[in-house]
């Protein structure tokens, strides 16, 4: 009499981007890149001297995130895309408020 079923391990679940069991390397890279651009743009937007970095990375993360959202295959990828798009938008807004795109 076995207490475990063949469906998986018991314990804490891990966050996986490939929740459908198939590999999506391009979509995963785009999702993680969107989040990284968004976080860097957001943090850089908090410092007035880094307004150019915040502006450029914010625009890159925003439009890259929109494309990533368009080609995403799983729900976790879409969740990361939304976080990255919002962070990028806020970062570019801070960057423009602090001085815009040019140094």
């Amino acid at each position: 009499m076995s207490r475990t079923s063949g469906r998986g391990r018991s314990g804490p679940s891990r966050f996986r981007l490939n929740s459908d069991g198939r590999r999506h390397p391009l979509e995963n890279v785009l999702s993680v890149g969107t989040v990284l651009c968004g976080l860097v743009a957001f943090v850089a937007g908090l410092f007035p001297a880094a307004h150019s970095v915040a502006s450029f990375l914010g625009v890159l993360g925003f439009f890259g995130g929109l494309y990533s959202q368009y080609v995403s295959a799983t729900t976790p990828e879409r969740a990361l895309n939304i976080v990255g798009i919002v962070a990028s938008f806020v970062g570019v807004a801070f960057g423009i408020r602090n001085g815009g795109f040019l140094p």
Side-chain angles (χ1 to χ4, degrees):
M1 190 178 242
S2 174
R3 294 181 67 201
T4 61
S5 65
R7 302 189 90 151
R9 294 179 234 157
S10 62
S13 63
R14 294 186 301 210
F15 182 74
R16 296 184 322 190
L17 291 177
N18 299 328
S19 61
D20 61 351
R22 290 182 276 169
R23 296 186 57 205
H24 308 286
L26 174 65
E27 291 85 352
N28 292 345
V29 168
L30 287 172
S31 295
V32 171
T34 298
V35 169
L36 290 177
C37 282
L39 289 177
V40 171
F42 180 77
V43 171
L46 297 175
F47 300 101
H51 62 89
S52 295
V53 173
S55 298
F56 281 114
L57 279 180
V59 168
L60 179 69
F62 184 79
F63 288 110
L66 290 179
Y67 177 74
S68 181
Q69 185 75 355
Y70 178 69
V71 299
S72 65
T74 62
T75 302
E77 289 170 357
R78 293 180 187 116
L80 279 182
N81 288 334
I82 294 301
V83 169
I85 289 169
V86 170
S88 294
F89 181 79
V90 172
V92 77
F94 284 168
I96 290 171
R97 178 183 57 102
N98 288 331
F101 290 92
L102 299 176

